[in-house]
Amino acid sequence: MMTRRTRRLPAALLAGLAVSIAGASPAAAQESVAREAPIQFLVPARPVIQPTHQAPVRMSAAEAHVTIKDRVAITELAITVTNPGAQIAETRLLLPVPDGSAIKSFKLDSLGDDSSAVLLPAAEARRVYDEIVRKIVDPGLLEFAGMGLIRSSVFPVEPGKTQTFRVAYEQVLSAHRGRVDYVLPRTEALAATGVEWSVTIDIESKTGLGPIVSPSHPIETTREGNTARVRVLAPDDPGSVRLSVLHNAGAGGMTVLAYPDARIADGQGGYFMLVAGAPDAWAKAETPKREVTLVIDRSGSMRGEKMAQAKEAALQVLQGLDAGERFNIVDYAGTVERFAERPQPKTPETMERARDYINALETNGSTNLHDALVASLRQPTADGSLPLVLFLTDGRATDGVTSEVGIREAARAANTHDRRVFTFGVGFDVNAPLLSGLSEATRAVPTFVLPNDSIEVKVSEVFDRLDGPVLVNPVATAVLEGAMPVERRAVVRDLQPRRLADLYRGEQTIVLGRYATNKPIQFELSGFVSTEPGAEGRLMQVTFDPAEATVANSFVPRLWAQRRIGDLIASIRQAGAEGKQPEQELVDEIVRLSTEHGILTEYTSFLAADERQIAAGAPVEAWESRIGTEESMMRLQIELADQAVETREGAAAVAQDRNNAPRRSSTHVQQNRYQYADTDGNGSAASPFGGGNALAEREISTVQRVADQTLFQRGPSRWVDARALSRETEEPEVTVEFGSDAYFDLVTDLAAQNRQGLIANRGEILLMNRGQLVLVRNPS
């Protein structure tokens, strides 16, 4: 269950679409912006409040369908608005769009082709934005400074009725070494969901499709030949929808997106995101045979529906193997049994025997996890295969070796064939960090099956992705182009993840890190066809010039920081098996990255002000008392010690590992949400970790990300840039009043840095700009 806290937002936190309500006649309303009636902004997918002489028109639906053919993108939007009032509402659509776009069509369902709209280029749109901001005394539109603008003619919405805009615009996407980047402009402002967005993107390429990645939102991609359909899975989450598509996959499926670090002189450093997918030749070539060992827990706690689902999942996995691929079945309770002494090739005969074996399994006894794991890892393997283990358990070890450290060390010693161990923890009575560590140490991933989840579905989801391994034991390296190979750390550093998973057909690998040069870098992704000693090697290469880094890729440092924080938490969690307390340098780095990049976890949620405290108008304690003292640092150390180290079983333990897994592997920036163990089933637990036996979800709504920066809400009408938090009590060096010439000059300066959204909120905003502490006084 997800608990989301709704707060009243300033009207100008625009999400990309705005409707203006004009009390005058349609003819008068079409005059210049300066003579129009006050504008009311509707925020898609979230409610806004704004004073008006009549009931505000509300957006009730937003649907986007995008078609990308090579470099040409056509965006079609259907926006439905509702007038709940008793009077006719004269309305006008304002739609920020990428500069250089062209209108293909615009109409209203009630008026057909009689409706009209114009597209203003960025320079002219900026003048309109500024005029509207001055007129309505609201800074929200400034978030879109630098973009073009589609402005409609005025049209009526009858009382109690709805109208649907249908807008289509076309743009030619810039191309870089075969990659095109698409953006659907929307706000980065946090808001409570009020409208359901739907976003789908159809892609077609003449030269073949390589990796497709969205750094802004989770996506689901379905491919067929040189076409693909992308569905955005969380379209209500704030932020522009971004999608990068690599064409000409046959020549090599690698590309680099980079962000320059302005703190480093002469372009000598920044952040990079390396995206790689298998070239056509690899994907079409014969791949190693898979060898799958199913390890099934048949202890007494698996009795009933859980065992029935586990059996069905095992049968589906065996059915999904190709003829000639190998399998085995290991089942365990207090003792360990197996289908065969070594993996068997899939044939009609072995399949019939396996079905009988699985159906005959009965539940009883304790859980000898250690012996089952060792038995699955020690068995001999066939040459040239990729050996996989699907290990299922619903409880902690209660028989044989039960020590977490002992089980980990035994697995490491027994895994001489380099098997990948995909663990499945069923329910809450599991040692969550043990299962996570076993998987991550073998280039695999853990899965936690909640009480109401289907074991069968979860196992199938994982197994379906393990089709056709094309690069085994991959390693990412970098050298200066044209120079002798150099130590990797001299060119790039802080790579995330530190160890790459195998690359499968249809999947992609993403590596994030920091570069420390202004000279061209040659990235390499190398690996092998199989885990067999002496296996054929494979190599992909791509050249990146730091001069190509751009502030438009502000998601790159945040995504890197997200993975880095997840990696630090995992290190603390794994060290906890030996009773080691969190090292101070790791704690300090978690706090620094969380503050700078606005990535808060259940451990650092106290860094943000409580939204209930702000809503009530209560004073917010100074930042120094929150994190700048020894006492508050000790608080984080205690949270990590009590939870990351000590809590290893139960719902709170599972919640922590479920939270951290996406931080370490996600291809998009996560929202500030986390799961916790709910005490009473209604999401009201006071602790970020709770203490119940069910999971709920919290969202932190007092931290807003803007491009590469972060705003912390410090009062009902006050936001502070993360870079200014330590100077919050100082007198500002520059004070800028809303609507002044200096104000709009600041907007221009921030827009050049892609940071204009920093001053789009209402109220006071304290920020750092070019080394100065600046106070911006927007209307409250």
Side-chain angles (χ1 to χ4, degrees), residues 162-243:
T162 63
Q163 283 277 22
T164 300
F165 300 91
R166 300 191 185 277
V167 188
Y169 62 89
E170 183 178 56
Q171 63 188 118
V172 178
L173 304 175
S174 59
H176 177 74
R177 302 178 190 266
R179 188 192 75 239
V180 295
D181 302 317
Y182 171 84
V183 179
L184 175 64
R186 304 193 312 171
T187 189
E188 293 186 276
L190 296 170
T193 301
V195 175
E196 290 187 3
W197 270 86
S198 171
V199 182
T200 57
I201 305 171
D202 287 324
I203 307 168
E204 183 178 330
S205 174
K206 294 178 181 177
T207 57
L209 287 173
I212 299 172
V213 63
S214 171
S216 63
H217 292 76
I219 59 174
E220 177 184 78
T221 304
T222 305
R223 295 171 180 260
E224 184 174 348
N226 287 348
T227 66
R229 165 159 285 196
V230 174
R231 185 168 66 93
V232 177
L233 299 181
D236 293 350
D237 284 348
S240 297
V241 175
R242 299 179 180 274
L243 193 77

Side-chain angles (χ1 to χ4, degrees), residues 540-562:
M540 281 193 288
Q541 296 175 321
V542 67
T543 298
F544 159 66
D545 187 343
E548 299 165 354
T550 169
V551 294
N553 294 334
S554 58
F555 52 84
V556 175
R558 202 180 306 279
L559 188 52
W560 170 82
Q562 174 180 289

Side-chain angles (χ1 to χ4, degrees), residues 391-714:
F391 191 97
L392 188 147
T393 182
D394 80 330
R396 61 188 184 279
T398 60
D399 202 341
V401 177
T402 59
S403 157
E404 180 178 341
V405 173
I407 293 172
R408 286 196 329 199
E409 290 179 348
R412 187 181 301 112
N415 195 14
T416 57
H417 299 293
D418 204 13
R419 282 185 161 86
R420 277 58 171 150
V421 182
F422 293 85
T423 56
F424 296 84
V426 181
F428 295 136
D429 192 26
V430 296
N431 186 320
L434 170 61
L435 298 182
S436 293
L438 290 172
S439 290
E440 290 157 4
T442 61
R443 302 182 190 265
V445 294
T447 300
F448 294 95
V449 186
L450 300 184
N452 293 327
D453 290 344
S454 166
I455 298 173
E456 180 182 343
V457 169
K458 291 295 184 180
V459 172
S460 295
E461 286 176 351
V462 172
F463 182 71
D464 288 347
R465 296 199 302 268
L466 306 179
D467 178 33
V470 294
L471 191 66
V472 174
N473 294 339
V475 176
T477 57
V479 298
L480 289 174
E481 186 183 39
M484 295 294 291
V486 298
E487 170 63 26
R488 183 180 69 186
R489 295 182 184 276
V491 182
V492 298
R493 58 190 177 91
D494 298 331
L495 296 187
Q496 295 294 330
R498 287 184 286 179
R499 194 180 197 202
L500 298 178
D502 301 320
L503 180 61
Y504 293 86
R505 184 188 292 119
E507 298 288 314
Q508 51 205 32
T509 291
I510 293 181
V511 181
L512 292 113
R514 306 180 70 173
Y515 62 90
T517 180
N518 59 4
K519 298 178 181 178
I521 301 170
Q522 182 172 280
F523 284 98
E524 297 181 349
L525 184 66
S526 59
F528 302 92
V529 172
S530 73
T531 58
E532 183 181 6
E536 174 190 347
R538 282 178 168 172
L539 175 69
M540 281 193 288
Q541 296 175 321
V542 67
T543 298
F544 159 66
D545 187 343
E548 299 165 354
T550 169
V551 294
N553 294 334
S554 58
F555 52 84
V556 175
R558 202 180 306 279
L559 188 52
W560 170 82
Q562 174 180 289
R563 288 198 175 189
R564 177 62 178 158
I565 290 171
D567 188 55
L568 294 170
I569 291 172
S571 295
I572 292 172
R573 206 122 157 80
Q574 291 302 311
E578 302 174 18
K580 294 181 180 178
Q581 295 303 301
E583 295 182 13
Q584 189 60 50
E585 63 180 16
L586 300 186
V587 174
D588 292 346
E589 188 171 2
I590 290 173
V591 171
R592 181 183 63 81
L593 293 173
S594 296
T595 304
E596 179 180 344
H597 296 279
I599 298 168
L600 302 190
T601 69
E602 60 269 50
Y603 313 101
T604 54
S605 60
F606 72 92
L607 298 178
D610 191 310
E611 58 265 37
R612 293 166 296 184
Q613 184 181 10
I614 287 179
V620 177
E621 58 186 324
W623 180 257
E624 288 81 357
S625 65
R626 185 172 292 273
I627 194 59
T629 66
E630 182 177 345
E631 179 181 354
S632 56
M633 290 300 292
M634 188 178 299
R635 175 177 173 179
L636 177 56
Q637 188 109 17
I638 291 172
E639 293 279 27
L640 287 166
D642 287 349
Q643 301 301 326
V645 172
E646 299 294 336
T647 305
R648 312 193 75 77
E649 301 170 2
V654 170
Q656 290 179 71
D657 280 66
R658 280 172 59 91
N659 289 335
N660 208 41
R663 292 185 197 118
R664 302 185 68 193
S665 62
S666 178
T667 60
H668 66 279
V669 176
Q670 301 275 308
Q671 297 299 309
N672 278 326
R673 303 185 187 118
Y674 60 84
Q675 292 185 325
Y676 65 96
D678 190 6
T679 301
D680 52 17
N682 64 7
S684 62
S687 164
F689 304 94
N693 203 34
L695 297 188
E697 187 172 89
R698 281 210 182 98
E699 180 173 20
I700 298 171
S701 60
T702 56
V703 176
Q704 180 179 324
R705 300 157 176 169
V706 179
D708 63 333
Q709 301 303 312
T710 302
L711 292 175
F712 285 77
Q713 190 171 14
R714 309 294 290 143

